[in-house]
Amino acid sequence: MSEDETVLVIVDAANVVGSVPDGWWRDRRGAAERLRDSLVPYAEDGLPDVPGPLELVLVVEGAARGVASVAGVRVDSAPAGGDDLIAELAAAAAPDRDCVVVTADRGLRQRVEVYGVRCVGPRTVRPLRRRGNEGMG
């Protein structure tokens, strides 16, 4: 499968990490690394309604800049706000390639949807734990 046939999934790290109040603010870099690692299986398996394999790009900003890429997940550090880099990546891909942005940020959604990009919420890649199931694996 060529790169143009592989769906590009761009993940707004700050938005997805911030969607679950699990203490991420104490270690933003560590939270971004945990998110990155949790995304790896999606590269081959795909997402709900988006079959794999996928090209996954995790966009980080601020204290999370410099998080390394791993097999299956490329990490791009935004020089300023992550939204600008996400919009730039989506705009570059959208004319020729299926692209999905993972974010709940309404403003960012509006920016990328004009390019025909689909948007999905953070729960797509980070299901919320149900109360009482935190220790279940």
Side-chain angles (χ1 to χ4, degrees):
M1 182 176 282
S2 75
E3 183 177 287
D4 286 349
E5 295 170 350
T6 304
V7 177
L8 173 63
V9 177
I10 305 167
V11 181
D12 181 351
N15 189 268
V16 174
V17 165
S19 70
V20 178
D22 61 1
W24 58 265
W25 51 89
R26 291 188 291 266
D27 181 10
R28 293 169 194 261
R29 183 183 183 91
E33 289 170 338
R34 288 188 296 279
L35 173 60
R36 174 204 60 200
D37 295 345
S38 75
L39 294 173
V40 171
Y42 296 120
E44 286 302 318
D45 299 342
L47 297 169
D49 301 320
V50 186
L54 307 173
E55 179 183 355
L56 285 163
V57 178
L58 179 66
V59 174
V60 297
E61 60 186 60
R65 277 190 204 106
V67 167
S69 296
V70 296
V73 181
R74 184 179 93 213
V75 180
D76 285 358
S77 294
D83 290 4
D84 291 339
L85 179 55
I86 292 167
E88 179 182 311
L89 293 170
D96 303 313
R97 189 170 181 198
D98 193 11
C99 181
V100 176
V101 171
V102 181
T103 188
D105 181 317
R106 287 186 191 140
L108 179 57
R109 282 176 173 247
Q110 290 174 342
R111 285 177 70 180
V112 300
E113 285 174 345
V114 300
Y115 303 115
V117 170
R118 287 186 288 157
C119 294
V120 296
R123 284 183 280 181
T124 305
V125 297
R126 190 170 183 175
L128 295 173
R129 292 183 178 137
R130 292 188 186 139
R131 192 170 289 201
N133 289 346
E134 289 82 5
M136 299 179 75

